[in-house]
Amino acid sequence: MSFDIDEQPQSFTPIQTNRRLPQSICSVALCPTMDLIAVGLGGSSSSSGSGSPGSNRYFMTIVVFRTISWQKMFSIAQSDLVSAAAGAQDELDDGHAAHNNEEISTAIIGGTNLTWSPDGRTLAVALTNGVLLCYDIESCASPGMPPTPIFSLPCLSLPSQVRSEPTPMGTSEATLVEEKNNGNSARTYSPILTRSMTDARRKRLMRMAGKTPSKHKQEEEEHTMNVIHQQAKGNSHSRCLEIKSVCWKRIRHRHDQEWYFRKYYLDRSSFFLPPCHYTMNETHGMNVIAGDSMHLMKQNMLFGSDGSGDGYKHAYPSAKNPLSMLAVLNKGALLLYLNGRYRIISMPLINNETKFDSHSVEKVLLVLTSNFHILTTQQASKESVRYMLYNFPTLVGHRYNLQFISSSYMSISQHISTMKSGMEETQNAWCAALRQLDMKFDQLLNLLKKYNVIKENSDNQEELMRNELLKYILGGHSSRSSDCSNAMDQFFTHPMMNDQLLVRLFRSVVANVAGVESLFRKKILAPCRSFLFDVEELHGLGKAMNRERKYACGDLLSATGTKDKYLGSLPALMDDDTCDRLCEAVKILYMISEQCVCQIVEMRYRLECLTKWIRATASQVKARGTAADSVQRENARTRRISDQIVQKVATFLATPLKSASCELGQKRGLTESVLGVLLLDYFLKDAVYFEKMHDPLTPAQFNSSHSHSKEFHKVVETPSLKAALAVSRDIASELYCEPRTVMSSMMEKREIIVEEVQNQSNIISATHSRFVDEMTVQSAIADDHPLDSDAGSNHKKFNCIIISNTCSSQLEHRQLVQITAIPVPDSDCLLFYKTAFVQLPLDCTVVNMQFYGDDGDSTLTSESSPSFEEGRQSLGLLLRRKLDEDRENEELWMFEYDGFIFQKVGEPFDSSGMVVRSFDPSMDTVERLTLSEIDGIESKWRCTKSVCAPNNITDLAMSGSRGIATLWCAYERVIDIYDVEEDEESSESSEM
């Protein structure tokens, strides 16, 4: 039956049509949960803007619009990307990151990919230098706040055998032009940023945040930019690990009793940790049943529901949040991040496995399944495409353990980061709090030098001044030490030693020291307490994993029975000894933090005694030589202190200092030296000394002749706060590296060879992952499939990967499209695949194709009751219909494929891998793509535009969770958005 397609009704209501943008469109990403679209604008891989779909194009600016109203939410400039990439650093660096960007070139920076997190709250931007920036949408859309990434994943250094060649860079060129053999294309890059541009932006951000730009920070920024510019001027060691593809998918939980009992014991810190400014414990003393809602309240208060918190905001997941996996594929490695933060896999790709070339790779795709299978599609040219399937059985067996490990990694890294910044803030606040009193003691030291009591070039001037103060307390104004007495009298009779000024000064100093104590408890002690709690929970998890099978790696893992897919036989992810060492190190860190609090409290008591003695001494010196009934005498009698206070001051002045100022590397304040509380040693040195009481003497020791020589106190050396935090961080980094070792050794891979793409001049392909549930979806893919072992029911549930590609074979002079479904069980035992073929209409060729699938993982539902039911599953084709020699129409077609007749092919393996056979007319049933259900499959279509320049390729993006499709052309700078679920409401109303 023939019909005129122009007379057929068209589907897909336009939402936005012919939206023209100021620059060429390089990348588009649709938010899975909100009406947002991210568009990458800027440079292109070719001067004409033409190329194959998904070709290698780089964008310099990112703009986020609303899909319905086309309201511009925010934009990210290229300068913001450069400055954010320069500060990228691993949270718990394990030595694989490029430190201080020594191996990162930022002279030719640009964006390669855009992707959204499964909850739609975070936008990930992949850069050409291997850095991945993650932006929080709520904070970026806040008025008056510049877009700043909430976290960044740094570039990782690779082994030398898989690194790419260094990119040539000019010293002052604004662009880098790459001439191909045909000479008709050029690649445009971004200009080099100067130090003044970056420094001006940094100061602007700090002023908007209400902070004052620091000279120290400015020097660090200038040092970083100097390193960058030295590399930009031809450093031969620079490496460019360009990110080729990014995919972020949420991993569903198995519906079994194990997770039901496990999740009750997760995230219980809100019920154990005492309330403080850091933990914001609102559940203390409340009913445990309300734990989920109270934990959400705690997260909102801690990180700010409006995105204004000091931490990681809502991007910081808890152990109850759905597990997600971020896959990043660059030129030399495949990287997997749990919840977008914890790098669980770092797998270098060998040369014959990746075929990556920055000049030839046009399209790279990543697809993830819920059981941790990864399919990579590498299209090196229009005539060559390669599929590789990776499987990590250890991830499947340890999915619940990884749920907690991933959460604890982000929690512990948050604690370490908070303590590190808190130490710097506390150190600066401590020096500022004592600065006014330091100036007073500086005057006293200068007077003692002028009277020649202390030599100008003396080594330990602080200790000498303490001795002179002690002599003055014990002897007063004495003729035997007339120079010292005269200097002291001149100091106490100075006009600035007025009692009212002293009272005001001492009140200010006491208040500042109390503020330092509060800051220390908030930024150091509270995170340390939470750090200890998380480490003890992690220690318990390590004990549980090592109960049945011990941790093993490398050769030991191979000798203990590898490749076993069952959970009971899997090796443990963490070593018991490392967990014990981390737990012991964090306990020491916590005890040292408590010692610092004790030192601050002791400082406050000593400061109170010292202020009373200074006021009393100043009044007595001023009253000397006056009449008995004078005001000075009356003030001296009023401010007289007891002998107990004098003894306390004399005691801490008589105790020698346990370290000299020269050991710090900077000048120590005289107030610290006078009071004998050396708090800066905990922040700047590797070891400190403190007094500890001796153990009680036994009767034998007490009666011995040497008992009289024993003192009540002894000096003990202990690690400083700086050293204890560094040791804890190093052990934590070592501990979190151990799962990577186990995962990498248990990796399995297979190559999938599709015969239909071997002899094509223009290959178009698309990939997709599904979780097929026979109860919710009636699909021919589920026929003849064995029951899933984890389903716990009598209906079929399994993960599968769908591959769609154009065929070299034709039927009735019409192009064919092959759809292949590959079930991927947890054990990587690929037994068969199913394939079906679709015949296109006459005079139609495929320009682009994308799967349209609502998998249920991306819907914005409650975290306590997530939805995993699949929605509509379709395939979208962008076709070119040839009308005559000079005219072509571009049409968007979409059809469902679950009802197709799939042919099952068993034992599809040979020596090279899994082979997907080509079209066989005698065996395969072909579905015809028409607009009439009688003649073929039912489909929907729309003519999108008339094509004037055949070389201008249109790209296609589809979102199953939002029900929209987007078409854009890089050269024409036009974008269109269509509603592809327009008939959904009408069908539901008709059923009712």
Side-chain angles (χ1 to χ4, degrees):
M1 181 181 296
S2 62
F3 55 89
D4 188 1
I5 192 170
D6 295 333
E7 299 177 357
Q8 300 299 318
Q10 299 188 28
S11 304
F12 313 142
T13 303
I15 300 177
Q16 302 291 338
T17 56
N18 294 327
R19 285 290 182 180
R20 189 170 297 275
L21 297 174
Q23 295 174 298
S24 60
I25 306 172
C26 301
S27 181
V28 170
L30 295 169
C31 181
T33 59
M34 294 178 282
D35 60 330
L36 298 176
I37 180 173
V39 183
L41 306 175
S44 176
S45 62
S46 59
S47 58
S48 63
S50 61
S52 62
S55 60
N56 199 8
R57 296 193 291 263
Y58 306 97
F59 52 86
M60 307 302 168
T61 305
I62 304 167
V63 187
V64 177
F65 299 95
R66 288 201 176 274
T67 56
I68 304 299
S69 62
W70 204 246
Q71 175 189 359
K72 180 180 176 180
M73 301 300 295
F74 63 91
S75 62
I76 305 174
Q78 192 263 348
S79 58
D80 297 329
L81 298 177
V82 172
S83 58
Q89 186 177 3
D90 229 350
E91 294 169 322
L92 291 179
D93 185 25
D94 56 356
H96 295 284
H99 295 278
N100 297 325
N101 298 318
E102 293 178 356
E103 298 184 0
I104 300 179
S105 171
T106 58
I108 51 173
I109 196 170
T112 60
N113 285 273
L114 294 173
T115 190
W116 294 85
S117 61
D119 58 1
R121 299 176 178 177
T122 306
L123 176 64
V125 181
L127 303 182
T128 55
N129 62 351
V131 177
L132 188 72
L133 305 176
C134 296
Y135 291 86
D136 175 54
I137 298 304
E138 294 182 6
S139 61
C140 290
S142 301
M145 291 297 295
T148 304
I150 53 176
F151 64 92
S152 57
L153 303 177
C155 172
L156 299 180
S157 59
L158 295 178
S160 58
Q161 63 268 23
V162 298
R163 286 181 177 174
S164 58
E165 292 297 324
T167 305
M169 289 173 285
T171 57
S172 60
E173 294 291 331
T175 59
L176 180 72
V177 180
E178 173 202 317
E179 298 293 340
K180 292 188 177 180
N181 295 331
N182 53 13
N184 58 358
S185 63
R187 182 167 299 161
T188 305
Y189 292 96
S190 59
I192 299 176
L193 262 70
T194 62
R195 291 193 300 268
S196 59
M197 295 170 60
T198 306
D199 188 62
R201 178 182 179 274
R202 182 187 62 81
K203 291 182 177 180
R204 175 171 58 86
L205 294 177
M206 294 186 68
R207 290 191 180 98
M208 295 184 68
K211 300 180 180 180
T212 302
S214 172
K215 181 179 179 181
H216 179 67
K217 290 293 183 180
Q218 182 178 356
E219 292 175 355
E220 289 184 354
E221 187 73 21
E222 290 180 356
H223 173 72
T224 302
M225 293 308 298
N226 285 331
V227 173
I228 293 174
H229 281 275
Q230 289 176 4
Q231 297 163 0
K233 290 181 180 179
N235 186 358
S236 60
H237 296 286
S238 61
R239 298 290 187 264
C240 186
L241 299 179
E242 176 184 317
I243 296 179
K244 307 301 295 185
S245 184
V246 180
C247 182
W248 202 338
K249 183 180 178 61
R250 191 175 71 178
I251 304 300
R252 68 180 70 243
H253 291 298
R254 295 180 296 183
H255 298 281
D256 52 16
Q257 293 295 321
E258 182 182 358
W259 175 247
Y260 176 79
F261 289 110
R262 278 198 177 204
K263 66 180 182 180
Y264 179 79
Y265 296 100
L266 298 178
D267 303 323
R268 313 305 290 178
S269 61
S270 58
F271 302 101
F272 296 99
L273 296 180
C276 64
H277 291 286
Y278 179 78
T279 56
M280 287 297 179
N281 189 343
E282 292 293 321
T283 62
H284 187 69
M286 297 185 180
N287 197 341
V288 179
I289 299 178
D292 293 340
S293 60
M294 290 297 103
H295 183 76
L296 181 60
M297 181 188 301
K298 168 192 167 185
Q299 294 281 9
N300 292 335
M301 295 185 66
L302 175 57
F303 303 110
S305 58
D306 58 348
S308 60
D310 295 333
Y312 291 133
K313 309 180 180 69
H314 53 256
Y316 171 77
S318 64
K320 287 185 180 179
N321 292 121
L323 183 65
S324 64
M325 185 164 62
L326 173 64
V328 178
L329 185 67
N330 58 27
K331 288 185 177 180
L334 176 63
L335 311 173
L336 298 184
Y337 297 87
L338 296 181
N339 287 327
R341 304 291 289 279
Y342 173 44
R343 180 166 49 87
I344 191 65
I345 296 293
S346 300
M347 184 179 63
L349 303 178
I350 58 177
N351 294 327
N352 60 358
E353 184 179 332
T354 164
K355 295 184 180 180
F356 271 151
D357 186 2
S358 59
H359 308 334
S360 61
V361 173
E362 294 187 352
K363 188 175 182 180
V364 179
L365 298 177
L366 278 175
V367 171
L368 305 176
T369 65
S370 291
N371 59 347
F372 301 97
H373 283 72
I374 305 170
L375 178 68
T376 63
T377 305
Q378 306 166 12
Q379 186 167 350
S381 63
K382 294 182 179 180
E383 298 85 13
S384 175
V385 65
R386 188 177 187 183
Y387 304 95
M388 292 293 296
L389 182 62
Y390 299 92
N391 178 34
F392 303 91
T394 316
L395 287 172
V396 181
H398 284 294
R399 68 173 68 190
Y400 296 141
N401 296 329
L402 291 173
Q403 184 86 1
F404 182 80
I405 292 175
S406 172
S407 174
S408 66
Y409 171 83
M410 283 164 282
S411 179
I412 288 176
S413 61
Q414 163 71 7
H415 302 328
I416 294 177
S417 176
T418 304
M419 293 183 65
K420 189 175 180 181
S421 61
M423 286 175 58
E424 183 177 356
E425 294 179 19
T426 305
Q427 177 186 344
N428 296 333
W430 178 255
C431 296
L434 303 179
R435 185 170 294 119
Q436 299 181 36
L437 199 54
D438 288 340
M439 295 173 62
K440 295 293 183 182
F441 287 116
D442 286 337
Q443 297 175 5
L444 176 59
L445 181 61
N446 292 331
L447 286 174
L448 293 175
K449 290 180 180 179
K450 289 180 180 179
Y451 279 90
N452 205 23
V453 178
I454 298 178
K455 302 299 182 182
E456 188 69 31
N457 299 325
S458 300
D459 294 334
N460 197 355
Q461 298 180 359
E462 297 87 353
E463 190 67 40
L464 295 177
M465 191 183 72
R466 285 165 50 89
N467 294 333
E468 297 301 329
L469 283 173
L470 180 60
K471 292 178 182 178
Y472 191 76
I473 291 176
L474 298 178
H477 187 88
S478 174
S479 59
R480 298 184 59 181
S481 56
S482 58
D483 293 337
C484 176
S485 300
N486 293 333
M488 292 292 180
D489 291 346
Q490 185 176 347
F491 171 72
F492 286 112
T493 57
H494 194 275
M496 297 303 296
M497 296 297 288
N498 181 274
D499 188 71
Q500 293 182 357
L501 297 179
L502 288 178
V503 170
R504 187 180 304 172
L505 170 65
F506 293 143
R507 286 179 179 176
S508 176
V509 172
V510 171
N512 292 338
V513 173
V516 172
E517 181 184 353
S518 177
L519 180 63
F520 189 93
R521 292 180 181 273
K522 177 182 178 181
K523 291 298 186 68
I524 298 179
L525 185 60
C528 186
R529 185 188 301 116
S530 302
F531 190 8
L532 179 59
F533 176 84
D534 289 337
V535 167
E536 288 178 344
E537 292 290 305
L538 191 63
H539 181 256
L541 178 64
K543 290 289 186 182
M545 286 190 297
N546 284 273
R547 183 179 56 185
E548 298 180 357
R549 175 66 66 91
K550 295 296 182 181
Y551 170 77
C553 62
D555 299 335
L556 181 61
L557 182 62
S558 303
T560 54
T562 63
K563 312 299 183 183
D564 200 340
K565 281 79 178 178
Y566 298 100
L567 179 61
S569 302
L570 287 175
L573 298 179
M574 292 181 171
D575 189 12
D576 250 352
D577 296 336
T578 311
C579 293
D580 293 336
R581 289 193 295 115
L582 179 59
C583 193
E584 186 68 23
V586 177
K587 288 180 180 179
I588 295 175
L589 176 64
Y590 181 71
M591 288 188 293
I592 295 174
S593 301
E594 291 284 1
Q595 289 178 11
C596 291
V597 175
C598 295
Q599 293 285 337
I600 298 176
V601 174
E602 179 67 20
M603 181 72 164
R604 295 178 64 181
Y605 284 111
R606 292 188 180 187
L607 187 61
E608 181 181 0
C609 296
L610 182 65
T611 55
K612 292 180 179 180
W613 176 79
I614 291 178
R615 289 184 61 196
T617 305
S619 299
Q620 292 174 5
V621 172
K622 292 175 183 178
R624 186 183 302 151
T626 61
D629 57 349
S630 63
V631 178
Q632 290 80 1
R633 295 273 186 174
E634 183 64 26
N635 292 335
R637 284 192 293 266
T638 305
R639 296 164 190 158
R640 184 178 299 169
I641 58 177
S642 62
D643 292 340
Q644 185 179 4
I645 296 179
V646 178
Q647 290 177 2
K648 288 182 179 179
V649 176
T651 300
F652 63 71
L653 285 176
T655 305
L657 297 178
K658 301 175 179 61
S659 67
S661 179
C662 59
E663 299 177 2
L664 291 179
Q666 69 178 44
K667 182 181 178 182
R668 188 200 302 278
L670 289 177
T671 306
E672 264 197 351
S673 302
V674 171
L675 296 178
V677 179
L678 308 181
L679 188 64
L680 283 181
D681 290 359
Y682 286 89
F683 299 135
L684 301 177
K685 295 181 62 177
D686 293 332
V688 295
Y689 300 90
F690 73 99
E691 291 185 352
K692 180 181 179 182
M693 294 186 62
H694 276 290
D695 296 333
L697 299 179
T698 62
Q701 292 175 343
F702 183 79
N703 297 325
S704 65
S705 59
H706 302 285
S707 61
H708 63 276
S709 63
K710 292 185 176 293
E711 299 178 354
F712 290 102
H713 295 82
K714 62 179 179 180
V715 179
V716 180
E717 180 180 355
T718 182
S720 65
L721 189 63
K722 170 188 173 183
L725 181 60
V727 170
S728 300
R729 185 181 186 274
D730 293 341
I731 299 178
S733 176
E734 178 185 351
L735 181 64
Y736 283 110
C737 284
E738 292 176 352
R740 302 187 190 123
T741 306
V742 178
M743 299 299 174
S744 301
S745 59
M746 299 286 287
M747 185 270 297
E748 299 174 350
K749 63 181 179 181
R750 292 182 184 273
E751 182 176 4
I752 300 176
I753 303 173
V754 182
E755 293 181 346
E756 283 291 351
V757 301
Q758 301 300 318
N759 300 315
Q760 285 194 56
S761 60
N762 187 14
I763 302 173
I764 308 296
S765 66
T767 54
H768 183 52
S769 65
R770 292 184 58 182
F771 181 76
V772 181
D773 189 348
E774 195 181 32
M775 284 194 64
T776 59
V777 177
Q778 297 296 327
S779 174
I781 301 176
D783 296 341
D784 302 325
H785 191 277
L787 292 177
D788 188 15
S789 59
D790 295 330
S793 59
N794 294 326
H795 58 276
K796 299 171 185 176
K797 290 182 179 180
F798 62 94
N799 291 274
C800 68
I801 290 178
I802 313 295
I803 301 177
S804 176
N805 57 271
T806 54
C807 300
S808 57
S809 304
Q810 293 186 351
L811 182 64
E812 300 175 355
H813 303 287
R814 299 185 181 186
Q815 189 176 15
L816 297 177
V817 173
Q818 183 180 17
I819 302 176
T820 305
I822 305 175
V824 284
D826 295 348
S827 60
D828 192 41
C829 183
L830 303 180
L831 302 176
F832 64 92
Y833 68 89
K834 292 188 174 184
T835 185
F837 293 87
V838 180
Q839 184 185 29
L840 302 184
L842 186 63
D843 297 328
C844 289
T845 58
V846 179
V847 178
N848 204 326
M849 66 173 64
Q850 291 290 332
F851 279 96
Y852 175 86
D854 183 8
D855 53 7
D857 287 349
S858 301
T859 54
L860 192 61
T861 56
S862 173
E863 295 179 353
S864 59
S865 58
S867 172
F868 298 114
E869 295 183 1
E870 279 191 333
R872 179 177 297 184
Q873 301 291 326
S874 304
L875 178 63
L877 299 178
L878 191 61
L879 306 180
R880 288 275 180 93
R881 181 185 297 274
K882 188 174 183 180
L883 303 179
D884 50 41
E885 294 182 356
D886 299 327
R887 294 190 305 147
E888 289 183 353
N889 281 348
E890 202 166 73
E891 302 172 359
L892 177 62
W893 292 68
M894 194 171 77
F895 57 89
E896 298 182 7
Y897 56 88
D898 277 332
F900 287 4
I901 300 177
F902 284 86
Q903 295 293 329
K904 179 180 177 181
V905 180
E907 299 181 359
F909 300 99
D910 59 10
S911 58
S912 57
M914 180 178 183
V915 179
V916 179
R917 65 173 176 81
S918 59
F919 174 69
D920 188 349
S922 62
M923 298 177 57
D924 296 316
T925 302
V926 180
E927 305 287 347
R928 297 183 58 189
L929 182 61
T930 63
L931 296 177
S932 174
E933 188 177 359
I934 300 176
D935 295 340
I937 59 176
E938 182 181 4
S939 59
K940 298 186 293 183
W941 80 289
R942 184 178 186 86
C943 180
T944 58
K945 65 177 180 180
S946 297
V947 180
C948 300
N951 292 330
N952 296 336
I953 303 299
T954 304
D955 286 296
L956 172 65
M958 309 186 80
S959 175
S961 58
R962 298 298 301 175
I964 58 177
T966 303
L967 291 86
W968 74 94
C969 181
Y971 177 71
E972 297 177 359
R973 304 178 181 178
V974 173
I975 189 170
D976 300 322
I977 302 177
Y978 297 96
D979 180 10
V980 297
E981 293 285 356
E982 56 188 356
D983 60 334
E984 198 174 65
E985 296 182 359
S986 60
S987 61
E988 291 179 357
S989 59
S990 61
E991 292 177 0
M992 294 178 62

